[in-house]
Amino acid sequence: MKKIVSLLLFMLPVYAFSQSNNAPSSYDPHEIAITGYLQTQYQRAQSAGILSFSGGDFGKNSADRFMVRRGRLKIDRADKYSNIVFQIDATQNGVMLMDAFIQLHQPGSKTFLFTAGLFNRPFGHSIVYSSGYRDFPERARVFQTLMPRERDIGAMVSYHPSNAFKFITAEFAVLNGSGYSSRDYDSKKDIVGNLAFKFDSLANKKFHIGFGGSFYKGTVRSNTETYFSSTANGYLKNTSADHINWNAARDYYGVNLQLQYDNTFGKTLLKTEYVAGKQPGIGSSASIAGPASSMSFSSQPETDLYLRQFNGYYVWLTQQVAKTGLTAMVSYDVYDPNQDISEMEIGKENNTTAGDIKFSTLGYGVSYLIGQRIKLTVYNEHIVNDGTTLPKYINDLKDDVFTTRLQYRW
């Protein structure tokens, strides 16, 4: 029975709505269980030294590379009262702690869960959905920017009944807000809430639907006397001694939808997610790359804050090809870090920088299951940015990325 369950989990996107990282390998009582996956890949970039959200930036003089993208080793244990999960990521860059949390629950019931430690932020769908099961090589740019490495340290309460309301999942977490940082750089905490609905086996058990909404309410501490607020004409500079130790709002609101149709040709799966809100960042500079200037902070930002209104979304479509083991996939995602200003205004004498540029990505490829545990993925990303008046961003960057990945799960 366990072998059958493992195979079903691997043969996603079947019922590919809820493979959460915030869970042990099984809630049935068990001693130490060891699971994981390894992803090795070759990538070719359109230009040497590009900035990339597809596994990290390329070296200054390199346009292609071999790399270990993820090497996950997960250890967990469960009894009738609690679970413990510990996961590391081992790559050519070293070993990093990914998950370390304890879950408590009533004996024989998982309706209420209390989780404490390092875990995925319970925001939307793709953040908590495991990279070992996701068809697409990487999460969308908008989520890599807002929530780098997806995790944070804190406590969470989850509600998922097993009765007539089993289609509901509700989560609420209190977090440091600084992600992996060894220390929280202010005394304020961030809160995250998620409400999700999932209905399986509709229309003669051929149609499955999931949807939900999330919010993130947090702050970023200012360490200088100046911050910049965005307007339609650029940034307005605000300077006062009172701005030191002031906290800027970091607010996100998101909605998501997953649709799956089991048909004679295979299984068709559509996923989409939209998020918008306020994101405190900084201005890009010689030492801070453009895309990195709108990312969330893991340590105290020492430069002036730039307050941006952003939005972003992705659409993912996959199609299993009958029983061949092939899955075709296509995606489109957009991240606009500054909705207040048009691209052609960026770079004028208005305090804008490369951190305000909008990017869109069209991805397409195929994956092939080799046996029960090995998956080969071939995928290309065409990345587009509109022209600006900034010297290095007058035209679209040549920053497309081609990826060939081999994954093994155990």
Side-chain angles (χ1 to χ4, degrees):
M1 182 63 185
K2 290 184 178 180
K3 292 183 178 180
I4 295 175
V5 171
S6 298
L7 177 60
L8 288 175
L9 290 177
F10 184 74
M11 293 289 285
L12 291 180
V14 182
Y15 302 112
F17 291 168
S18 57
Q19 289 301 330
S20 172
N21 279 329
N22 293 335
S25 58
S26 170
Y27 278 106
D28 294 333
H30 62 271
E31 293 301 321
I32 297 297
I34 301 176
T35 56
Y37 58 94
L38 178 65
Q39 296 174 346
T40 63
Q41 63 189 36
Y42 169 79
Q43 291 183 306
R44 178 74 183 181
Q46 195 175 8
S47 306
I50 66 166
L51 307 178
S52 177
F53 281 77
S54 299
D57 300 338
F58 281 71
K60 180 180 179 181
N61 301 304
S62 174
D64 67 342
R65 64 189 179 190
F66 289 100
M67 66 184 301
V68 176
R69 179 62 183 96
R70 296 176 179 90
R72 301 292 171 82
L73 182 65
K74 183 176 182 178
I75 302 172
D76 65 82
R77 183 185 183 278
D79 59 35
K80 63 180 182 178
Y81 300 103
S82 62
N83 321 299
I84 183 171
V85 174
F86 184 86
Q87 182 176 202
I88 61 171
D89 185 33
T91 70
Q92 67 280 336
N93 297 321
V95 179
M96 176 174 287
L97 180 64
M98 295 302 295
D99 296 296
F101 59 85
I102 298 171
Q103 286 184 332
L104 305 177
H105 55 81
Q106 294 177 310
S109 173
K110 310 302 182 296
T111 298
F112 289 98
L113 285 172
F114 175 77
T115 305
L118 174 65
F119 52 84
N120 279 75
R121 301 172 177 96
F123 187 96
H125 175 78
S126 68
I127 285 292
V128 298
Y129 193 79
S130 171
S131 296
Y133 291 104
R134 188 181 59 244
D135 290 294
F136 297 88
E138 305 296 340
R139 292 177 176 87
R141 178 186 290 253
V142 58
F143 287 106
Q144 291 194 57
T145 302
L146 301 178
M147 301 180 186
R149 301 195 70 88
E150 300 85 51
R151 277 87 170 166
D152 208 329
I153 303 173
M156 176 173 64
V157 176
S158 306
Y159 172 70
H160 180 61
S162 57
N163 54 22
F165 297 98
K166 62 182 180 180
F167 56 85
I168 296 175
T169 298
E171 298 162 305
F172 181 83
V174 180
L175 307 170
N176 281 343
S178 52
Y180 271 81
S181 178
S182 60
R183 64 177 68 179
D184 192 3
Y185 58 80
D186 63 22
S187 60
K188 295 182 180 294
K189 297 294 175 280
D190 297 357
I191 60 174
V192 190
N194 181 55
L195 182 62
F197 303 86
K198 185 178 71 169
F199 299 92
D200 285 331
S201 303
L202 304 176
N204 295 321
K205 300 183 179 181
K206 292 184 178 181
F207 186 66
H208 316 274
I209 180 171
F211 58 91
S214 305
F215 73 87
Y216 187 107
K217 298 285 289 183
T219 63
V220 173
R221 178 185 176 275
S222 172
N223 204 43
T224 69
E225 295 184 352
T226 299
Y227 73 86
F228 293 85
S229 53
S230 63
T231 70
N233 298 315
Y235 284 98
L236 178 64
K237 186 176 181 179
N238 304 271
T239 301
S240 169
D242 294 336
H243 295 159
I244 297 177
N245 209 33
W246 170 73
N247 284 74
R250 178 189 178 191
D251 297 340
Y252 314 150
Y253 303 93
V255 291
N256 62 86
L257 173 68
Q258 305 85 46
L259 301 173
Q260 180 177 311
Y261 179 61
D262 305 338
N263 50 74
T264 55
F265 184 69
K267 291 180 171 60
T268 305
L269 182 61
L270 174 70
K271 295 185 178 184
T272 184
E273 196 161 356
Y274 174 85
V275 60
K278 301 176 183 178
Q279 173 72 341
I282 57 176
S284 66
S285 64
S287 59
I288 302 295
S293 63
S294 64
M295 294 182 73
S296 298
F297 301 107
S298 59
S299 60
Q300 171 64 58
E302 300 298 332
T303 59
D304 299 334
L305 293 181
Y306 279 61
L307 310 185
R308 299 180 173 101
Q309 295 277 351
F310 76 91
N311 70 358
Y313 64 89
Y314 69 82
V315 180
W316 290 346
L317 177 65
T318 60
Q319 175 65 58
Q320 285 188 342
V321 183
K323 298 181 180 180
T324 64
L326 283 170
T327 297
M329 64 188 91
V330 62
S331 71
Y332 184 72
D333 71 73
V334 172
Y335 175 52
D336 186 354
N338 188 347
Q339 295 184 79
D340 293 327
I341 195 166
S342 66
E343 304 310 290
M344 288 309 299
E345 294 296 315
I346 298 174
K348 296 182 178 180
E349 295 182 1
N350 53 13
N351 297 311
T352 55
T353 71
D356 300 297
I357 298 175
K358 176 182 177 180
F359 283 85
S360 62
T361 303
L362 174 65
Y364 48 89
V366 295
S367 65
Y368 179 64
L369 293 174
I370 307 172
Q372 298 182 6
R373 298 183 178 275
I374 303 176
K375 180 169 68 172
L376 174 67
T377 300
V378 179
Y379 194 73
N380 189 67
E381 292 172 296
H382 176 53
I383 304 163
V384 176
N385 60 280
D386 293 335
T388 73
T389 60
L390 289 169
K392 294 183 179 180
Y393 298 88
I394 294 176
N395 300 309
D396 179 36
L397 300 175
K398 303 301 181 183
D399 53 355
D400 295 359
V401 178
F402 172 80
T403 300
T404 299
R405 174 181 293 176
L406 196 62
Q407 173 180 289
Y408 186 94
R409 287 194 61 87
W410 67 87

PDB file of all heavy atoms in Angstrom, residues 369-392:
ATOM      1  N   LEU A 369       8.576  11.115 -17.317  1.00  0.00           N
ATOM      2  CA  LEU A 369       8.813  10.231 -16.178  1.00  0.00           C
ATOM      3  C   LEU A 369       9.551   8.989 -16.653  1.00  0.00           C
ATOM      4  O   LEU A 369       9.059   8.235 -17.496  1.00  0.00           O
ATOM      5  CB  LEU A 369       7.489   9.832 -15.537  1.00  0.00           C
ATOM      6  CG  LEU A 369       6.712  10.960 -14.855  1.00  0.00           C
ATOM      7  CD1 LEU A 369       5.356  10.464 -14.387  1.00  0.00           C
ATOM      8  CD2 LEU A 369       7.505  11.522 -13.686  1.00  0.00           C
ATOM      9  N   ILE A 370      10.740   8.781 -16.097  1.00  0.00           N
ATOM     10  CA  ILE A 370      11.552   7.609 -16.421  1.00  0.00           C
ATOM     11  C   ILE A 370      11.426   6.646 -15.257  1.00  0.00           C
ATOM     12  O   ILE A 370      12.105   6.771 -14.242  1.00  0.00           O
ATOM     13  CB  ILE A 370      13.018   7.998 -16.649  1.00  0.00           C
ATOM     14  CG1 ILE A 370      13.113   9.120 -17.690  1.00  0.00           C
ATOM     15  CG2 ILE A 370      13.834   6.796 -17.088  1.00  0.00           C
ATOM     16  CD1 ILE A 370      14.505   9.698 -17.823  1.00  0.00           C
ATOM     17  N   GLY A 371      10.535   5.673 -15.363  1.00  0.00           N
ATOM     18  CA  GLY A 371      10.266   4.805 -14.232  1.00  0.00           C
ATOM     19  C   GLY A 371       9.418   5.529 -13.203  1.00  0.00           C
ATOM     20  O   GLY A 371       8.678   6.465 -13.506  1.00  0.00           O
ATOM     21  N   GLN A 372       9.542   5.114 -11.949  1.00  0.00           N
ATOM     22  CA  GLN A 372       8.692   5.647 -10.898  1.00  0.00           C
ATOM     23  C   GLN A 372       9.309   6.830 -10.161  1.00  0.00           C
ATOM     24  O   GLN A 372       8.591   7.590  -9.516  1.00  0.00           O
ATOM     25  CB  GLN A 372       8.377   4.537  -9.883  1.00  0.00           C
ATOM     26  CG  GLN A 372       7.608   3.364 -10.466  1.00  0.00           C
ATOM     27  CD  GLN A 372       7.289   2.325  -9.410  1.00  0.00           C
ATOM     28  OE1 GLN A 372       7.541   2.522  -8.224  1.00  0.00           O
ATOM     29  NE2 GLN A 372       6.733   1.198  -9.831  1.00  0.00           N
ATOM     30  N   ARG A 373      10.618   7.002 -10.243  1.00  0.00           N
ATOM     31  CA  ARG A 373      11.269   7.982  -9.384  1.00  0.00           C
ATOM     32  C   ARG A 373      12.044   9.069 -10.135  1.00  0.00           C
ATOM     33  O   ARG A 373      12.405  10.076  -9.545  1.00  0.00           O
ATOM     34  CB  ARG A 373      12.235   7.268  -8.430  1.00  0.00           C
ATOM     35  CG  ARG A 373      11.542   6.299  -7.493  1.00  0.00           C
ATOM     36  CD  ARG A 373      12.530   5.680  -6.516  1.00  0.00           C
ATOM     37  NE  ARG A 373      11.875   4.778  -5.588  1.00  0.00           N
ATOM     38  CZ  ARG A 373      11.293   5.144  -4.458  1.00  0.00           C
ATOM     39  NH1 ARG A 373      11.286   6.417  -4.122  1.00  0.00           N
ATOM     40  NH2 ARG A 373      10.720   4.271  -3.668  1.00  0.00           N
ATOM     41  N   ILE A 374      12.308   8.888 -11.407  1.00  0.00           N
ATOM     42  CA  ILE A 374      13.158   9.821 -12.146  1.00  0.00           C
ATOM     43  C   ILE A 374      12.319  10.635 -13.119  1.00  0.00           C
ATOM     44  O   ILE A 374      11.478  10.093 -13.839  1.00  0.00           O
ATOM     45  CB  ILE A 374      14.268   9.067 -12.913  1.00  0.00           C
ATOM     46  CG1 ILE A 374      15.106   8.234 -11.936  1.00  0.00           C
ATOM     47  CG2 ILE A 374      15.155  10.049 -13.660  1.00  0.00           C
ATOM     48  CD1 ILE A 374      16.165   7.389 -12.617  1.00  0.00           C
ATOM     49  N   LYS A 375      12.563  11.929 -13.144  1.00  0.00           N
ATOM     50  CA  LYS A 375      11.859  12.814 -14.069  1.00  0.00           C
ATOM     51  C   LYS A 375      12.851  13.700 -14.803  1.00  0.00           C
ATOM     52  O   LYS A 375      13.725  14.327 -14.195  1.00  0.00           O
ATOM     53  CB  LYS A 375      10.843  13.691 -13.312  1.00  0.00           C
ATOM     54  CG  LYS A 375      10.066  14.633 -14.228  1.00  0.00           C
ATOM     55  CD  LYS A 375       8.901  15.295 -13.517  1.00  0.00           C
ATOM     56  CE  LYS A 375       9.331  16.277 -12.465  1.00  0.00           C
ATOM     57  NZ  LYS A 375       8.179  17.041 -11.910  1.00  0.00           N
ATOM     58  N   LEU A 376      12.720  13.738 -16.120  1.00  0.00           N
ATOM     59  CA  LEU A 376      13.536  14.604 -16.966  1.00  0.00           C
ATOM     60  C   LEU A 376      12.689  15.781 -17.427  1.00  0.00           C
ATOM     61  O   LEU A 376      11.573  15.594 -17.930  1.00  0.00           O
ATOM     62  CB  LEU A 376      14.052  13.827 -18.186  1.00  0.00           C
ATOM     63  CG  LEU A 376      14.803  14.646 -19.245  1.00  0.00           C
ATOM     64  CD1 LEU A 376      16.121  15.171 -18.685  1.00  0.00           C
ATOM     65  CD2 LEU A 376      15.045  13.812 -20.496  1.00  0.00           C
ATOM     66  N   THR A 377      13.208  17.000 -17.266  1.00  0.00           N
ATOM     67  CA  THR A 377      12.493  18.209 -17.672  1.00  0.00           C
ATOM     68  C   THR A 377      13.357  19.019 -18.623  1.00  0.00           C
ATOM     69  O   THR A 377      14.550  19.247 -18.354  1.00  0.00           O
ATOM     70  CB  THR A 377      12.147  19.079 -16.450  1.00  0.00           C
ATOM     71  OG1 THR A 377      11.312  18.338 -15.550  1.00  0.00           O
ATOM     72  CG2 THR A 377      11.400  20.342 -16.883  1.00  0.00           C
ATOM     73  N   VAL A 378      12.762  19.440 -19.728  1.00  0.00           N
ATOM     74  CA  VAL A 378      13.415  20.332 -20.688  1.00  0.00           C
ATOM     75  C   VAL A 378      12.527  21.566 -20.801  1.00  0.00           C
ATOM     76  O   VAL A 378      11.337  21.457 -21.129  1.00  0.00           O
ATOM     77  CB  VAL A 378      13.583  19.659 -22.063  1.00  0.00           C
ATOM     78  CG1 VAL A 378      14.231  20.616 -23.045  1.00  0.00           C
ATOM     79  CG2 VAL A 378      14.409  18.378 -21.934  1.00  0.00           C
ATOM     80  N   TYR A 379      13.108  22.748 -20.559  1.00  0.00           N
ATOM     81  CA  TYR A 379      12.275  23.939 -20.373  1.00  0.00           C
ATOM     82  C   TYR A 379      13.027  25.180 -20.823  1.00  0.00           C
ATOM     83  O   TYR A 379      14.241  25.309 -20.594  1.00  0.00           O
ATOM     84  CB  TYR A 379      11.927  24.071 -18.889  1.00  0.00           C
ATOM     85  CG  TYR A 379      10.829  25.044 -18.557  1.00  0.00           C
ATOM     86  CD1 TYR A 379       9.500  24.755 -18.830  1.00  0.00           C
ATOM     87  CD2 TYR A 379      11.118  26.260 -17.940  1.00  0.00           C
ATOM     88  CE1 TYR A 379       8.488  25.642 -18.497  1.00  0.00           C
ATOM     89  CE2 TYR A 379      10.111  27.152 -17.602  1.00  0.00           C
ATOM     90  CZ  TYR A 379       8.803  26.843 -17.892  1.00  0.00           C
ATOM     91  OH  TYR A 379       7.798  27.716 -17.559  1.00  0.00           O
ATOM     92  N   ASN A 380      12.317  26.098 -21.465  1.00  0.00           N
ATOM     93  CA  ASN A 380      12.911  27.356 -21.911  1.00  0.00           C
ATOM     94  C   ASN A 380      12.095  28.531 -21.389  1.00  0.00           C
ATOM     95  O   ASN A 380      10.859  28.481 -21.345  1.00  0.00           O
ATOM     96  CB  ASN A 380      12.974  27.428 -23.435  1.00  0.00           C
ATOM     97  CG  ASN A 380      13.773  28.629 -23.920  1.00  0.00           C
ATOM     98  OD1 ASN A 380      14.988  28.694 -23.723  1.00  0.00           O
ATOM     99  ND2 ASN A 380      13.118  29.583 -24.548  1.00  0.00           N
ATOM    100  N   GLU A 381      12.781  29.614 -20.991  1.00  0.00           N
ATOM    101  CA  GLU A 381      12.130  30.822 -20.499  1.00  0.00           C
ATOM    102  C   GLU A 381      12.521  32.010 -21.375  1.00  0.00           C
ATOM    103  O   GLU A 381      13.715  32.304 -21.533  1.00  0.00           O
ATOM    104  CB  GLU A 381      12.541  31.096 -19.054  1.00  0.00           C
ATOM    105  CG  GLU A 381      12.012  30.080 -18.062  1.00  0.00           C
ATOM    106  CD  GLU A 381      12.606  30.275 -16.690  1.00  0.00           C
ATOM    107  OE1 GLU A 381      13.828  30.108 -16.551  1.00  0.00           O
ATOM    108  OE2 GLU A 381      11.853  30.615 -15.762  1.00  0.00           O
ATOM    109  N   HIS A 382      11.519  32.673 -21.916  1.00  0.00           N
ATOM    110  CA  HIS A 382      11.724  33.898 -22.694  1.00  0.00           C
ATOM    111  C   HIS A 382      11.304  35.063 -21.806  1.00  0.00           C
ATOM    112  O   HIS A 382      10.119  35.219 -21.489  1.00  0.00           O
ATOM    113  CB  HIS A 382      10.892  33.856 -23.974  1.00  0.00           C
ATOM    114  CG  HIS A 382      10.975  35.111 -24.785  1.00  0.00           C
ATOM    115  ND1 HIS A 382      12.173  35.668 -25.179  1.00  0.00           N
ATOM    116  CD2 HIS A 382       9.998  35.933 -25.269  1.00  0.00           C
ATOM    117  CE1 HIS A 382      11.944  36.766 -25.868  1.00  0.00           C
ATOM    118  NE2 HIS A 382      10.631  36.954 -25.940  1.00  0.00           N
ATOM    119  N   ILE A 383      12.266  35.879 -21.397  1.00  0.00           N
ATOM    120  CA  ILE A 383      12.054  36.923 -20.401  1.00  0.00           C
ATOM    121  C   ILE A 383      12.095  38.281 -21.094  1.00  0.00           C
ATOM    122  O   ILE A 383      13.024  38.572 -21.864  1.00  0.00           O
ATOM    123  CB  ILE A 383      13.125  36.841 -19.296  1.00  0.00           C
ATOM    124  CG1 ILE A 383      13.111  35.439 -18.669  1.00  0.00           C
ATOM    125  CG2 ILE A 383      12.907  37.912 -18.233  1.00  0.00           C
ATOM    126  CD1 ILE A 383      14.342  35.098 -17.874  1.00  0.00           C
ATOM    127  N   VAL A 384      11.097  39.115 -20.813  1.00  0.00           N
ATOM    128  CA  VAL A 384      10.946  40.397 -21.511  1.00  0.00           C
ATOM    129  C   VAL A 384      10.806  41.537 -20.510  1.00  0.00           C
ATOM    130  O   VAL A 384      10.066  41.421 -19.529  1.00  0.00           O
ATOM    131  CB  VAL A 384       9.710  40.374 -22.442  1.00  0.00           C
ATOM    132  CG1 VAL A 384       9.507  41.741 -23.082  1.00  0.00           C
ATOM    133  CG2 VAL A 384       9.859  39.303 -23.507  1.00  0.00           C
ATOM    134  N   ASN A 385      11.544  42.607 -20.757  1.00  0.00           N
ATOM    135  CA  ASN A 385      11.338  43.865 -20.022  1.00  0.00           C
ATOM    136  C   ASN A 385      11.159  44.989 -21.038  1.00  0.00           C
ATOM    137  O   ASN A 385      11.846  45.040 -22.067  1.00  0.00           O
ATOM    138  CB  ASN A 385      12.510  44.174 -19.099  1.00  0.00           C
ATOM    139  CG  ASN A 385      13.828  44.327 -19.843  1.00  0.00           C
ATOM    140  OD1 ASN A 385      14.462  43.329 -20.189  1.00  0.00           O
ATOM    141  ND2 ASN A 385      14.238  45.566 -20.090  1.00  0.00           N
ATOM    142  N   ASP A 386      10.212  45.878 -20.772  1.00  0.00           N
ATOM    143  CA  ASP A 386      10.007  47.025 -21.656  1.00  0.00           C
ATOM    144  C   ASP A 386      11.175  47.999 -21.530  1.00  0.00           C
ATOM    145  O   ASP A 386      11.844  48.072 -20.496  1.00  0.00           O
ATOM    146  CB  ASP A 386       8.706  47.746 -21.306  1.00  0.00           C
ATOM    147  CG  ASP A 386       7.484  46.894 -21.612  1.00  0.00           C
ATOM    148  OD1 ASP A 386       7.594  46.010 -22.487  1.00  0.00           O
ATOM    149  OD2 ASP A 386       6.430  47.116 -20.989  1.00  0.00           O
ATOM    150  N   GLY A 387      11.409  48.759 -22.600  1.00  0.00           N
ATOM    151  CA  GLY A 387      12.504  49.705 -22.606  1.00  0.00           C
ATOM    152  C   GLY A 387      12.293  50.857 -21.641  1.00  0.00           C
ATOM    153  O   GLY A 387      11.164  51.267 -21.348  1.00  0.00           O
ATOM    154  N   THR A 388      13.389  51.397 -21.108  1.00  0.00           N
ATOM    155  CA  THR A 388      13.377  52.541 -20.203  1.00  0.00           C
ATOM    156  C   THR A 388      14.394  53.570 -20.712  1.00  0.00           C
ATOM    157  O   THR A 388      14.997  53.393 -21.776  1.00  0.00           O
ATOM    158  CB  THR A 388      13.751  52.124 -18.773  1.00  0.00           C
ATOM    159  OG1 THR A 388      15.163  51.831 -18.714  1.00  0.00           O
ATOM    160  CG2 THR A 388      12.963  50.897 -18.332  1.00  0.00           C
ATOM    161  N   THR A 389      14.604  54.615 -19.947  1.00  0.00           N
ATOM    162  CA  THR A 389      15.648  55.585 -20.297  1.00  0.00           C
ATOM    163  C   THR A 389      16.943  55.327 -19.532  1.00  0.00           C
ATOM    164  O   THR A 389      17.898  56.099 -19.661  1.00  0.00           O
ATOM    165  CB  THR A 389      15.161  57.024 -20.017  1.00  0.00           C
ATOM    166  OG1 THR A 389      14.847  57.149 -18.626  1.00  0.00           O
ATOM    167  CG2 THR A 389      13.918  57.347 -20.837  1.00  0.00           C
ATOM    168  N   LEU A 390      16.990  54.248 -18.742  1.00  0.00           N
ATOM    169  CA  LEU A 390      18.218  53.875 -18.055  1.00  0.00           C
ATOM    170  C   LEU A 390      19.227  53.337 -19.066  1.00  0.00           C
ATOM    171  O   LEU A 390      18.864  52.554 -19.954  1.00  0.00           O
ATOM    172  CB  LEU A 390      17.935  52.812 -16.996  1.00  0.00           C
ATOM    173  CG  LEU A 390      17.159  53.254 -15.757  1.00  0.00           C
ATOM    174  CD1 LEU A 390      16.729  52.037 -14.935  1.00  0.00           C
ATOM    175  CD2 LEU A 390      17.995  54.201 -14.904  1.00  0.00           C
ATOM    176  N   PRO A 391      20.496  53.687 -18.950  1.00  0.00           N
ATOM    177  CA  PRO A 391      21.499  53.284 -19.947  1.00  0.00           C
ATOM    178  C   PRO A 391      21.557  51.780 -20.232  1.00  0.00           C
ATOM    179  O   PRO A 391      21.658  51.371 -21.373  1.00  0.00           O
ATOM    180  CB  PRO A 391      22.805  53.786 -19.327  1.00  0.00           C
ATOM    181  CG  PRO A 391      22.407  54.956 -18.491  1.00  0.00           C
ATOM    182  CD  PRO A 391      21.060  54.589 -17.931  1.00  0.00           C
ATOM    183  N   LYS A 392      21.468  50.946 -19.201  1.00  0.00           N
ATOM    184  CA  LYS A 392      21.587  49.503 -19.400  1.00  0.00           C
ATOM    185  C   LYS A 392      20.250  48.819 -19.697  1.00  0.00           C
ATOM    186  O   LYS A 392      20.204  47.617 -19.942  1.00  0.00           O
ATOM    187  CB  LYS A 392      22.220  48.861 -18.166  1.00  0.00           C
ATOM    188  CG  LYS A 392      23.662  49.272 -17.918  1.00  0.00           C
ATOM    189  CD  LYS A 392      24.233  48.543 -16.719  1.00  0.00           C
ATOM    190  CE  LYS A 392      25.690  48.945 -16.479  1.00  0.00           C
ATOM    191  NZ  LYS A 392      26.264  48.232 -15.284  1.00  0.00           N
TER     192      LYS A 392
END
